Amino acid sequence: MRQRISPLIVAAFYALAVPANAQTASQAPGQAPSAGDAARLLADFQNFGPHRAFVVSPDGRASWWAGVSGPDPAPAISAALKRCRERTQQDCKLHIVNNYTVTGHDWRELVPARSAGAVDIGRLRPQPYWSMRGPQLANGLIVWSHGYMAGKNSTESAPQTWVGQFTHLGYDLYRFDREWIADWASDATALADAVAKAKAMGYRRVILAGQSAGAWVSLAALQRGAAADGVISIAAAHHGTVETMRDPTRARSEWQHVLEGIRRGPRLIVVNFAGDEYDVGGRMDDARSILARNGVEAEIIDAPEGFKGHGAADSTFSRKFGACFAAFIESGKKQPPC
C-alpha cells in the first residue's frame, strides 16, 4: 500500500508553474507564474489534512481546499473548483483528491472509500478516502480523536488540518471515532489497546492526537500505559463548559490525575487557548509542573497570541504551528513558535 500522490505530479506542476498563495492562487496582470511558486504551492497543500482537493485552471493557476468534514471528499472538491472558477473565470481541472493523483480521471474511479488492505486496528478505522502505506512501509501511524458537539455525530468530522504535517512525513492516518461519551474509561483503555495492536502489526511509531474530548482521551490512554511515542493535545476537555459544571474543582483534580499517570518516554504537546469556555483555569501550570516532575518531554503552548476560544485551532493555527509540532514530536527539537 502506497500513498498515491505520484512524484510525476510535481513535474507536472512545474510545467504548469502555479503561483502559491495559501488556498488559492492569483497573479498580477502580465506576471508569469514561476516554477518555484508551483513547487511551494504543492508542498503547502501536502502539509494539510483531509478532506482536501487541488485543482488547476487551463492557464496554470491553481486553487486548493483542505480540512473539510463529511463522509467523502466531494465538498472539498466542489469548494476548490468553485474558488478556482471564481478567481480565473475558467473551468478548472481536478488533479489531487486527498493523497491520490486523479489527473484526467473521474476521481471516484481511483479513490476508494477504504485504502486497499487497510484493516481496522481494534476500534481504530482508517481515514476514509485516504491512501495508506501500511505498517511495514509507513514511517508511523497518527491517530486522530475528534471532539464532540452536543446533539451531533462527529464521526465524520475532519481531523485538524495540521495532521497533514505527519502524513506528509509518511505517517498513515487512522481515526478513533466515538459517537457519544458513554464509557470514558473503556474508551481510553480501547485506545491504549489499539496502540499495542498497531505496534504489533509493525508500525514503528504511533502518535495520538485530538481536540477537546479527543485530546483528553488521548492523554488518558497514555495514563493507562499506551505505548505511544507522542501525544498532541488541543484544548483537552471532558467535563462540559465551566458554566454548566456542578463542581469545577473536579475537572481540575481529574486533569491533574491524568497527568500524574504519564511517565517519561513519549513527547507531549499540550495546547490551551485563552477564552476557552471549557477551561477551569490553572491547567497549564499543572501540566508544566507535573510533567516536568515526571521527566516527560513536553511543549506547553498556553494562550498563543491571536487564537481564542475552544475551537481556535483553525487553518491559520495549523499553518503557524504545524511544522514545529512535527519537529518536536519527531526529534525533540524545539523551534519557534512552539
Side-chain angles (χ1 to χ4, degrees):
M1 294 177 287
R2 300 178 63 186
Q3 281 190 317
R4 298 298 180 87
I5 291 184
S6 166
L8 295 177
I9 202 75
V10 178
F13 286 124
Y14 268 110
L16 288 168
V18 183
N21 179 27
Q23 293 180 343
T24 189
S26 60
Q27 64 189 81
Q31 177 183 346
S34 70
D37 286 338
R40 283 191 294 273
L41 181 58
L42 185 60
D44 195 30
F45 168 78
Q46 291 187 72
N47 284 326
F48 282 72
H51 290 303
R52 65 186 191 182
F54 191 105
V55 304
V56 181
S57 68
D59 65 359
R61 287 180 285 174
S63 295
W64 57 265
W65 210 273
V68 178
S69 297
D72 68 33
I77 295 167
S78 295
L81 288 169
K82 181 175 183 289
R83 173 63 66 86
C84 186
R85 192 178 305 112
E86 289 173 347
R87 296 300 178 92
T88 68
Q89 301 302 305
Q90 301 174 77
D91 288 331
C92 303
K93 292 186 177 181
L94 181 64
H95 284 269
I96 300 173
V97 174
N98 282 341
N99 56 349
Y100 289 87
T101 300
V102 299
T103 306
H105 298 275
D106 180 346
W107 72 269
R108 290 193 181 276
E109 294 178 356
L110 297 182
V111 184
R114 180 185 286 250
S115 178
V119 300
D120 288 354
I121 305 174
R123 282 178 54 190
L124 308 183
R125 68 182 182 108
Q127 171 69 32
Y129 297 92
W130 191 262
S131 178
M132 306 294 169
R133 297 173 183 261
Q136 308 306 321
L137 296 178
N139 289 333
L141 173 68
I142 184 165
V143 179
W144 176 254
S145 297
H146 58 77
Y148 290 99
M149 294 182 65
K152 183 177 180 180
N153 182 349
S154 296
T155 58
E156 293 177 349
S157 59
Q160 290 183 344
T161 50
W162 52 261
V163 303
Q165 291 281 346
F166 290 88
T167 59
H168 196 186
L169 291 173
Y171 277 68
D172 282 350
L173 174 60
Y174 270 62
R175 303 176 59 94
F176 182 46
D177 286 333
R178 304 92 54 219
E179 186 171 353
W180 313 113
I181 300 176
D183 185 344
W184 187 261
S186 176
D187 284 347
T189 300
L191 183 52
D193 290 345
V195 173
K197 288 182 174 68
K199 287 291 185 79
M201 290 169 61
Y203 280 109
R204 294 181 287 278
R205 291 175 57 75
V206 178
I207 308 301
L208 304 180
Q211 187 265 344
S212 190
W216 190 289
V217 77
S218 298
L219 291 168
L222 208 59
Q223 177 203 21
R224 284 161 171 75
D229 298 277
V231 169
I232 303 173
S233 163
I234 309 292
H238 172 39
H239 299 82
T241 63
V242 175
E243 185 179 70
T244 60
M245 290 180 193
R246 293 182 179 179
D247 181 9
T249 63
R250 178 185 172 190
R252 178 81 179 272
S253 64
E254 290 188 3
W255 168 256
Q256 293 167 344
H257 178 67
V258 168
L259 295 177
E260 289 283 6
I262 297 173
R263 293 292 180 262
R264 181 195 301 269
R267 297 188 181 105
L268 269 63
I269 295 174
V270 183
V271 181
N272 205 65
F273 299 110
D276 185 345
E277 64 271 29
Y278 292 79
D279 180 22
V280 297
R283 298 190 308 158
M284 295 302 99
D285 290 337
D286 294 337
R288 289 187 189 92
S289 60
I290 294 171
L291 296 176
R293 185 168 65 245
N294 290 348
V296 178
E297 285 187 84
E299 284 275 25
I300 310 299
I301 301 175
D302 188 6
E305 185 177 355
F307 302 95
K308 185 175 181 179
H310 192 60
D314 56 10
S315 60
T316 301
F317 177 86
S318 296
R319 191 177 297 281
K320 183 172 183 178
F321 288 95
C324 66
F325 280 8
F328 180 72
I329 291 294
E330 287 295 280
S331 66
K333 179 181 178 182
K334 296 189 177 186
Q335 65 183 44
C338 289

